[in-house]
mmCIF file of all heavy atoms in Angstrom:
data_model
loop_
_atom_site.group_PDB
_atom_site.id
_atom_site.type_symbol
_atom_site.label_atom_id
_atom_site.label_comp_id
_atom_site.label_asym_id
_atom_site.label_seq_id
_atom_site.Cartn_x
_atom_site.Cartn_y
_atom_site.Cartn_z
ATOM 1 N N ASN O 203 -26.040 153.181 -142.870
ATOM 2 C CA ASN O 203 -27.446 152.827 -143.054
ATOM 3 C C ASN O 203 -28.198 152.674 -141.737
ATOM 4 O O ASN O 203 -29.381 152.362 -141.739
ATOM 5 C CB ASN O 203 -27.563 151.552 -143.884
ATOM 6 C CG ASN O 203 -27.046 151.757 -145.294
ATOM 7 O OD1 ASN O 203 -27.318 152.785 -145.918
ATOM 8 N ND2 ASN O 203 -26.271 150.809 -145.801
ATOM 9 N N ASP O 204 -27.512 152.884 -140.620
ATOM 10 C CA ASP O 204 -28.147 152.817 -139.309
ATOM 11 C C ASP O 204 -28.719 154.182 -138.945
ATOM 12 O O ASP O 204 -28.243 155.213 -139.413
ATOM 13 C CB ASP O 204 -27.137 152.403 -138.230
ATOM 14 C CG ASP O 204 -26.595 150.998 -138.440
ATOM 15 O OD1 ASP O 204 -27.207 150.221 -139.196
ATOM 16 O OD2 ASP O 204 -25.552 150.688 -137.843
ATOM 17 N N LYS O 205 -29.727 154.161 -138.102
ATOM 18 C CA LYS O 205 -30.254 155.425 -137.583
ATOM 19 C C LYS O 205 -29.376 155.798 -136.394
ATOM 20 O O LYS O 205 -29.426 155.161 -135.354
ATOM 21 C CB LYS O 205 -31.704 155.276 -137.186
ATOM 22 C CG LYS O 205 -32.615 155.056 -138.371
ATOM 23 C CD LYS O 205 -34.059 155.022 -137.972
ATOM 24 C CE LYS O 205 -34.868 154.740 -139.215
ATOM 25 N NZ LYS O 205 -35.998 155.580 -139.358
ATOM 26 N N VAL O 206 -28.569 156.835 -136.593
ATOM 27 C CA VAL O 206 -27.599 157.242 -135.589
ATOM 28 C C VAL O 206 -27.785 158.717 -135.275
ATOM 29 O O VAL O 206 -27.957 159.530 -136.179
ATOM 30 C CB VAL O 206 -26.146 157.003 -136.094
ATOM 31 C CG1 VAL O 206 -25.133 157.492 -135.087
ATOM 32 C CG2 VAL O 206 -25.917 155.541 -136.404
ATOM 33 N N VAL O 207 -27.762 159.032 -134.005
ATOM 34 C CA VAL O 207 -27.744 160.424 -133.576
ATOM 35 C C VAL O 207 -26.306 160.734 -133.187
ATOM 36 O O VAL O 207 -25.753 160.126 -132.274
ATOM 37 C CB VAL O 207 -28.682 160.666 -132.377
ATOM 38 C CG1 VAL O 207 -28.565 162.099 -131.875
ATOM 39 C CG2 VAL O 207 -30.107 160.337 -132.752
ATOM 40 N N TRP O 208 -25.680 161.651 -133.912
ATOM 41 C CA TRP O 208 -24.288 162.019 -133.640
ATOM 42 C C TRP O 208 -24.283 163.170 -132.646
ATOM 43 O O TRP O 208 -24.961 164.171 -132.825
ATOM 44 C CB TRP O 208 -23.577 162.447 -134.928
ATOM 45 C CG TRP O 208 -23.428 161.317 -135.889
ATOM 46 C CD1 TRP O 208 -24.237 161.025 -136.944
ATOM 47 C CD2 TRP O 208 -22.415 160.316 -135.871
ATOM 48 N NE1 TRP O 208 -23.790 159.913 -137.578
ATOM 49 C CE2 TRP O 208 -22.666 159.450 -136.946
ATOM 50 C CE3 TRP O 208 -21.331 160.061 -135.055
ATOM 51 C CZ2 TRP O 208 -21.867 158.352 -137.226
ATOM 52 C CZ3 TRP O 208 -20.531 158.977 -135.332
ATOM 53 C CH2 TRP O 208 -20.808 158.132 -136.413
ATOM 54 N N ASN O 209 -23.492 163.016 -131.603
ATOM 55 C CA ASN O 209 -23.325 164.061 -130.600
ATOM 56 C C ASN O 209 -21.841 164.354 -130.512
ATOM 57 O O ASN O 209 -21.060 163.506 -130.079
ATOM 58 C CB ASN O 209 -23.868 163.592 -129.259
ATOM 59 C CG ASN O 209 -23.708 164.644 -128.188
ATOM 60 O OD1 ASN O 209 -23.463 165.802 -128.483
ATOM 61 N ND2 ASN O 209 -23.846 164.231 -126.944
ATOM 62 N N ILE O 210 -21.463 165.525 -130.950
ATOM 63 C CA ILE O 210 -20.055 165.893 -130.932
ATOM 64 C C ILE O 210 -19.856 166.897 -129.810
ATOM 65 O O ILE O 210 -20.454 167.964 -129.791
ATOM 66 C CB ILE O 210 -19.623 166.490 -132.286
ATOM 67 C CG1 ILE O 210 -19.846 165.448 -133.383
ATOM 68 C CG2 ILE O 210 -18.184 166.940 -132.231
ATOM 69 C CD1 ILE O 210 -19.619 165.955 -134.776
ATOM 70 N N GLY O 211 -19.019 166.532 -128.864
ATOM 71 C CA GLY O 211 -18.768 167.414 -127.735
ATOM 72 C C GLY O 211 -17.557 166.942 -126.952
ATOM 73 O O GLY O 211 -17.023 165.863 -127.181
ATOM 74 N N PHE O 212 -17.164 167.739 -126.015
ATOM 75 C CA PHE O 212 -16.014 167.422 -125.173
ATOM 76 C C PHE O 212 -16.529 167.156 -123.773
ATOM 77 O O PHE O 212 -17.100 168.033 -123.140
ATOM 78 C CB PHE O 212 -15.019 168.581 -125.180
ATOM 79 C CG PHE O 212 -13.761 168.299 -124.415
ATOM 80 C CD1 PHE O 212 -12.828 167.419 -124.918
ATOM 81 C CD2 PHE O 212 -13.517 168.907 -123.197
ATOM 82 C CE1 PHE O 212 -11.661 167.153 -124.224
ATOM 83 C CE2 PHE O 212 -12.361 168.653 -122.502
ATOM 84 C CZ PHE O 212 -11.434 167.769 -123.018
ATOM 85 N N ARG O 213 -16.324 165.929 -123.294
ATOM 86 C CA ARG O 213 -16.849 165.539 -121.984
ATOM 87 C C ARG O 213 -15.859 165.816 -120.863
ATOM 88 O O ARG O 213 -16.172 165.654 -119.712
ATOM 89 C CB ARG O 213 -17.215 164.072 -122.002
ATOM 90 C CG ARG O 213 -18.374 163.786 -122.903
ATOM 91 C CD ARG O 213 -18.674 162.335 -123.001
ATOM 92 N NE ARG O 213 -18.791 161.733 -121.680
ATOM 93 C CZ ARG O 213 -19.417 160.620 -121.441
ATOM 94 N NH1 ARG O 213 -20.027 159.990 -122.411
ATOM 95 N NH2 ARG O 213 -19.454 160.116 -120.237
ATOM 96 N N GLY O 214 -14.646 166.173 -121.166
ATOM 97 C CA GLY O 214 -13.690 166.457 -120.113
ATOM 98 C C GLY O 214 -12.540 165.468 -120.115
ATOM 99 O O GLY O 214 -12.658 164.364 -120.630
ATOM 100 N N GLN O 215 -11.450 165.854 -119.540
ATOM 101 C CA GLN O 215 -10.270 164.998 -119.467
ATOM 102 C C GLN O 215 -10.567 163.796 -118.591
ATOM 103 O O GLN O 215 -11.035 163.925 -117.474
ATOM 104 C CB GLN O 215 -9.078 165.788 -118.903
ATOM 105 C CG GLN O 215 -7.808 165.007 -118.821
ATOM 106 C CD GLN O 215 -7.282 164.611 -120.206
ATOM 107 O OE1 GLN O 215 -7.580 165.262 -121.197
ATOM 108 N NE2 GLN O 215 -6.529 163.559 -120.246
ATOM 109 N N GLY O 216 -10.288 162.597 -119.072
ATOM 110 C CA GLY O 216 -10.528 161.385 -118.290
ATOM 111 C C GLY O 216 -11.999 161.094 -118.088
ATOM 112 O O GLY O 216 -12.377 160.414 -117.163
ATOM 113 N N ASP O 217 -12.860 161.625 -118.974
ATOM 114 C CA ASP O 217 -14.296 161.433 -118.902
ATOM 115 C C ASP O 217 -14.884 161.990 -117.607
ATOM 116 O O ASP O 217 -15.803 161.433 -117.025
ATOM 117 C CB ASP O 217 -14.661 159.963 -119.080
ATOM 118 C CG ASP O 217 -16.090 159.783 -119.536
ATOM 119 O OD1 ASP O 217 -16.650 160.713 -120.127
ATOM 120 O OD2 ASP O 217 -16.678 158.723 -119.279
ATOM 121 N N ARG O 218 -14.320 163.079 -117.127
ATOM 122 C CA ARG O 218 -14.812 163.773 -115.945
ATOM 123 C C ARG O 218 -15.012 165.235 -116.302
ATOM 124 O O ARG O 218 -14.383 165.735 -117.243
ATOM 125 C CB ARG O 218 -13.792 163.679 -114.805
ATOM 126 C CG ARG O 218 -13.643 162.264 -114.264
ATOM 127 C CD ARG O 218 -12.590 162.251 -113.218
ATOM 128 N NE ARG O 218 -11.308 162.519 -113.913
ATOM 129 C CZ ARG O 218 -10.135 162.211 -113.445
ATOM 130 N NH1 ARG O 218 -10.011 161.679 -112.282
ATOM 131 N NH2 ARG O 218 -9.046 162.472 -114.145
ATOM 132 N N PRO O 219 -15.850 165.927 -115.550
ATOM 133 C CA PRO O 219 -15.987 167.356 -115.820
ATOM 134 C C PRO O 219 -14.654 168.076 -115.686
ATOM 135 O O PRO O 219 -13.789 167.651 -114.926
ATOM 136 C CB PRO O 219 -16.969 167.831 -114.735
ATOM 137 C CG PRO O 219 -17.660 166.600 -114.288
ATOM 138 C CD PRO O 219 -16.694 165.475 -114.471
ATOM 139 N N PHE O 220 -14.472 169.144 -116.440
ATOM 140 C CA PHE O 220 -13.222 169.895 -116.370
ATOM 141 C C PHE O 220 -13.477 171.308 -115.893
ATOM 142 O O PHE O 220 -14.565 171.783 -115.865
ATOM 143 C CB PHE O 220 -12.489 169.899 -117.715
ATOM 144 C CG PHE O 220 -13.282 170.479 -118.845
ATOM 145 C CD1 PHE O 220 -13.096 171.799 -119.213
ATOM 146 C CD2 PHE O 220 -14.195 169.728 -119.547
ATOM 147 C CE1 PHE O 220 -13.806 172.338 -120.262
ATOM 148 C CE2 PHE O 220 -14.910 170.264 -120.592
ATOM 149 C CZ PHE O 220 -14.713 171.566 -120.948
#
Side-chain angles (χ1 to χ4, degrees):
N203 295 318
D204 296 343
K205 292 185 182 226
V206 177
V207 175
W208 294 97
N209 180 16
I210 300 173
F212 184 72
R213 293 176 51 159
Q215 181 65 25
D217 202 24
R218 292 177 292 201
F220 59 97

